[in-house]
Amino acid sequence: MTETAAVETVDLGKRFGGVAVLDGLTMRVARGSVYALLGPNGAGKTTTVRILATLAVPDGGVARVNGHDVVRDRRRVRRSISLAGQHAALDDQQTGSENLRMMGRLVGLSPAAARRRSADLLERFDLAAAGGRRVVTYSGGMRRRLDLAASLLGEPSVIFLDEPTTGLDPRSRQSLWEVVAELAGAGVTVLLTTQYLEEADRLADRIAVLHGGRLAAEGSAGELKRRFGAHRLELTMRDARSFAEAARRLGDRVTHREPDRLELAVGTGGDAAEIRRLLDQADPDRRGLARFVVREATLDDVFLTLTGDPVTAHREVARV
């Protein structure tokens, strides 16, 4: 393991029954970075986090956190990490402050230290005013913030966030994004799983796209977009007849269509000459096209490219 890596896996494997949930996963997370595991349901994201957090044992390969093997050195790993799962691990009948103080005692803080640390975290996560209320009265966003605060009681150097914003409203999601950015800025290594493409784009220094338990691609958001994304030419036709004719002429190149809105989209490399040819092909008499837009690649395009065809995604690991 290299000195700059906080988390590293080599040929990690895990099976449940006859199904390979992880199949030779190799990745490396730099210290003080935000690393996102992105993939559809069943891709192996949560299983990876459970192994790294010592909650599951791999069937093959090696996983290390801060240089410690997650199987042989479980105690050392657990001293330096924290995990916030998909469901907040809170006692609804206790207040927010009581939850944090209790968890502070469980991680080894003295009563006085647990009180101080709890008060600091409630302030940091904008929960000071609600600290005396029972958690059952909290909104979903407040519960997730309290759960994240609880995961920081032991001041971990590595924190695992398993789909931390699932089910949150946009404002609560934005608040959690700010907290994650603050953690990374303070030197904490954050490994998060997510199905939200915008979340990975906004937060992550590096993104690993998992598909079928394998690493389909890994890189920064910009690198992935340049390599696997494509520009899109979006066409809005004037009427249903023009729409049908354009769709027929473009054929298999159409990647998206909305008949009700008279909209079509085709992939393109963004070259001006190619766009002119596509416009002429879709509307040769220049009467059926109402307007067009050329859009840059997004992580949505990357995601569909890498996970839309399982055979292609599994053929090789693409590193950038």
mmCIF file of all heavy atoms in Angstrom, residues 254-274:
data_model
loop_
_atom_site.group_PDB
_atom_site.id
_atom_site.type_symbol
_atom_site.label_atom_id
_atom_site.label_comp_id
_atom_site.label_asym_id
_atom_site.label_seq_id
_atom_site.Cartn_x
_atom_site.Cartn_y
_atom_site.Cartn_z
ATOM 1 N N VAL A 254 -30.597 8.024 -33.090
ATOM 2 C CA VAL A 254 -31.438 8.678 -32.083
ATOM 3 C C VAL A 254 -31.220 7.993 -30.738
ATOM 4 O O VAL A 254 -31.402 6.788 -30.605
ATOM 5 C CB VAL A 254 -32.925 8.619 -32.473
ATOM 6 C CG1 VAL A 254 -33.783 9.211 -31.360
ATOM 7 C CG2 VAL A 254 -33.160 9.366 -33.778
ATOM 8 N N THR A 255 -30.828 8.770 -29.746
ATOM 9 C CA THR A 255 -30.598 8.240 -28.404
ATOM 10 C C THR A 255 -31.721 8.583 -27.436
ATOM 11 O O THR A 255 -31.815 8.007 -26.358
ATOM 12 C CB THR A 255 -29.281 8.777 -27.824
ATOM 13 O OG1 THR A 255 -29.344 10.219 -27.775
ATOM 14 C CG2 THR A 255 -28.097 8.359 -28.683
ATOM 15 N N HIS A 256 -32.555 9.535 -27.815
ATOM 16 C CA HIS A 256 -33.646 9.954 -26.932
ATOM 17 C C HIS A 256 -34.725 10.596 -27.780
ATOM 18 O O HIS A 256 -34.422 11.342 -28.715
ATOM 19 C CB HIS A 256 -33.126 10.960 -25.898
ATOM 20 C CG HIS A 256 -34.181 11.454 -24.959
ATOM 21 N ND1 HIS A 256 -34.684 10.700 -23.935
ATOM 22 C CD2 HIS A 256 -34.848 12.648 -24.918
ATOM 23 C CE1 HIS A 256 -35.606 11.390 -23.284
ATOM 24 N NE2 HIS A 256 -35.719 12.569 -23.858
ATOM 25 N N ARG A 257 -35.974 10.271 -27.447
ATOM 26 C CA ARG A 257 -37.086 10.886 -28.199
ATOM 27 C C ARG A 257 -38.266 11.134 -27.274
ATOM 28 O O ARG A 257 -38.565 10.308 -26.411
ATOM 29 C CB ARG A 257 -37.480 10.024 -29.391
ATOM 30 C CG ARG A 257 -38.042 8.659 -29.056
ATOM 31 C CD ARG A 257 -38.283 7.843 -30.319
ATOM 32 N NE ARG A 257 -37.040 7.380 -30.911
ATOM 33 C CZ ARG A 257 -36.890 7.016 -32.169
ATOM 34 N NH1 ARG A 257 -37.912 7.103 -33.002
ATOM 35 N NH2 ARG A 257 -35.735 6.577 -32.613
ATOM 36 N N GLU A 258 -38.907 12.285 -27.455
ATOM 37 C CA GLU A 258 -40.114 12.641 -26.700
ATOM 38 C C GLU A 258 -41.149 13.151 -27.688
ATOM 39 O O GLU A 258 -41.193 14.348 -27.985
ATOM 40 C CB GLU A 258 -39.801 13.701 -25.642
ATOM 41 C CG GLU A 258 -38.963 13.198 -24.474
ATOM 42 C CD GLU A 258 -38.922 14.190 -23.333
ATOM 43 O OE1 GLU A 258 -39.968 14.804 -23.031
ATOM 44 O OE2 GLU A 258 -37.834 14.368 -22.754
ATOM 45 N N PRO A 259 -41.988 12.253 -28.212
ATOM 46 C CA PRO A 259 -42.971 12.659 -29.231
ATOM 47 C C PRO A 259 -43.891 13.785 -28.781
ATOM 48 O O PRO A 259 -44.230 14.658 -29.584
ATOM 49 C CB PRO A 259 -43.752 11.355 -29.477
ATOM 50 C CG PRO A 259 -42.805 10.273 -29.093
ATOM 51 C CD PRO A 259 -42.026 10.814 -27.929
ATOM 52 N N ASP A 260 -44.287 13.746 -27.496
ATOM 53 C CA ASP A 260 -45.207 14.782 -27.020
ATOM 54 C C ASP A 260 -44.589 16.169 -27.086
ATOM 55 O O ASP A 260 -45.300 17.162 -27.263
ATOM 56 C CB ASP A 260 -45.640 14.487 -25.587
ATOM 57 C CG ASP A 260 -46.494 13.235 -25.487
ATOM 58 O OD1 ASP A 260 -47.006 12.789 -26.537
ATOM 59 O OD2 ASP A 260 -46.635 12.698 -24.383
ATOM 60 N N ARG A 261 -43.265 16.224 -26.935
ATOM 61 C CA ARG A 261 -42.564 17.521 -26.974
ATOM 62 C C ARG A 261 -41.887 17.762 -28.310
ATOM 63 O O ARG A 261 -41.209 18.774 -28.492
ATOM 64 C CB ARG A 261 -41.535 17.570 -25.853
ATOM 65 C CG ARG A 261 -42.149 17.454 -24.459
ATOM 66 C CD ARG A 261 -41.082 17.223 -23.400
ATOM 67 N NE ARG A 261 -40.154 18.340 -23.314
ATOM 68 C CZ ARG A 261 -40.302 19.390 -22.499
ATOM 69 N NH1 ARG A 261 -41.359 19.450 -21.704
ATOM 70 N NH2 ARG A 261 -39.412 20.360 -22.465
ATOM 71 N N LEU A 262 -42.029 16.798 -29.227
ATOM 72 C CA LEU A 262 -41.429 16.894 -30.574
ATOM 73 C C LEU A 262 -39.910 17.017 -30.499
ATOM 74 O O LEU A 262 -39.282 17.698 -31.312
ATOM 75 C CB LEU A 262 -42.025 18.086 -31.343
ATOM 76 C CG LEU A 262 -43.542 18.109 -31.506
ATOM 77 C CD1 LEU A 262 -43.985 19.397 -32.198
ATOM 78 C CD2 LEU A 262 -44.030 16.877 -32.279
ATOM 79 N N GLU A 263 -39.301 16.307 -29.523
ATOM 80 C CA GLU A 263 -37.866 16.424 -29.297
ATOM 81 C C GLU A 263 -37.144 15.119 -29.601
ATOM 82 O O GLU A 263 -37.608 14.021 -29.254
ATOM 83 C CB GLU A 263 -37.578 16.831 -27.851
ATOM 84 C CG GLU A 263 -38.054 18.237 -27.532
ATOM 85 C CD GLU A 263 -37.828 18.609 -26.063
ATOM 86 O OE1 GLU A 263 -37.437 17.720 -25.280
ATOM 87 O OE2 GLU A 263 -38.044 19.786 -25.710
ATOM 88 N N LEU A 264 -35.980 15.255 -30.248
ATOM 89 C CA LEU A 264 -35.088 14.139 -30.549
ATOM 90 C C LEU A 264 -33.693 14.496 -30.094
ATOM 91 O O LEU A 264 -33.327 15.675 -30.028
ATOM 92 C CB LEU A 264 -35.045 13.865 -32.060
ATOM 93 C CG LEU A 264 -36.307 13.385 -32.761
ATOM 94 C CD1 LEU A 264 -36.123 13.508 -34.264
ATOM 95 C CD2 LEU A 264 -36.608 11.955 -32.380
ATOM 96 N N ALA A 265 -32.884 13.479 -29.781
ATOM 97 C CA ALA A 265 -31.484 13.726 -29.444
ATOM 98 C C ALA A 265 -30.623 12.665 -30.116
ATOM 99 O O ALA A 265 -31.007 11.496 -30.204
ATOM 100 C CB ALA A 265 -31.268 13.694 -27.936
ATOM 101 N N VAL A 266 -29.458 13.081 -30.597
ATOM 102 C CA VAL A 266 -28.494 12.153 -31.197
ATOM 103 C C VAL A 266 -27.123 12.437 -30.604
ATOM 104 O O VAL A 266 -26.802 13.578 -30.248
ATOM 105 C CB VAL A 266 -28.442 12.275 -32.733
ATOM 106 C CG1 VAL A 266 -29.759 11.858 -33.351
ATOM 107 C CG2 VAL A 266 -28.075 13.692 -33.150
ATOM 108 N N GLY A 267 -26.308 11.414 -30.494
ATOM 109 C CA GLY A 267 -24.955 11.594 -30.005
ATOM 110 C C GLY A 267 -24.063 12.173 -31.089
ATOM 111 O O GLY A 267 -24.244 11.910 -32.282
ATOM 112 N N THR A 268 -23.099 12.963 -30.650
ATOM 113 C CA THR A 268 -22.163 13.573 -31.591
ATOM 114 C C THR A 268 -20.854 13.878 -30.884
ATOM 115 O O THR A 268 -20.833 14.088 -29.670
ATOM 116 C CB THR A 268 -22.735 14.882 -32.187
ATOM 117 O OG1 THR A 268 -21.711 15.545 -32.941
ATOM 118 C CG2 THR A 268 -23.223 15.819 -31.103
ATOM 119 N N GLY A 269 -19.781 13.902 -31.643
ATOM 120 C CA GLY A 269 -18.489 14.266 -31.067
ATOM 121 C C GLY A 269 -18.339 15.755 -30.847
ATOM 122 O O GLY A 269 -17.357 16.208 -30.263
ATOM 123 N N GLY A 270 -19.306 16.551 -31.317
ATOM 124 C CA GLY A 270 -19.255 17.992 -31.116
ATOM 125 C C GLY A 270 -18.599 18.749 -32.249
ATOM 126 O O GLY A 270 -18.539 19.977 -32.232
ATOM 127 N N ASP A 271 -18.121 18.019 -33.263
ATOM 128 C CA ASP A 271 -17.477 18.666 -34.407
ATOM 129 C C ASP A 271 -18.509 19.436 -35.229
ATOM 130 O O ASP A 271 -19.596 18.939 -35.530
ATOM 131 C CB ASP A 271 -16.799 17.597 -35.273
ATOM 132 C CG ASP A 271 -16.166 18.179 -36.509
ATOM 133 O OD1 ASP A 271 -15.083 18.801 -36.381
ATOM 134 O OD2 ASP A 271 -16.754 18.034 -37.599
ATOM 135 N N ALA A 272 -18.161 20.664 -35.632
ATOM 136 C CA ALA A 272 -19.115 21.524 -36.330
ATOM 137 C C ALA A 272 -19.578 20.915 -37.644
ATOM 138 O O ALA A 272 -20.770 20.981 -37.993
ATOM 139 C CB ALA A 272 -18.482 22.900 -36.571
ATOM 140 N N ALA A 273 -18.647 20.310 -38.392
ATOM 141 C CA ALA A 273 -19.016 19.709 -39.672
ATOM 142 C C ALA A 273 -19.994 18.556 -39.472
ATOM 143 O O ALA A 273 -20.955 18.394 -40.249
ATOM 144 C CB ALA A 273 -17.756 19.223 -40.397
ATOM 145 N N GLU A 274 -19.785 17.751 -38.429
ATOM 146 C CA GLU A 274 -20.689 16.634 -38.163
ATOM 147 C C GLU A 274 -22.071 17.146 -37.772
ATOM 148 O O GLU A 274 -23.095 16.597 -38.204
ATOM 149 C CB GLU A 274 -20.135 15.745 -37.051
ATOM 150 C CG GLU A 274 -21.035 14.549 -36.753
ATOM 151 C CD GLU A 274 -20.621 13.779 -35.502
ATOM 152 O OE1 GLU A 274 -19.849 14.340 -34.698
ATOM 153 O OE2 GLU A 274 -21.092 12.649 -35.324
#
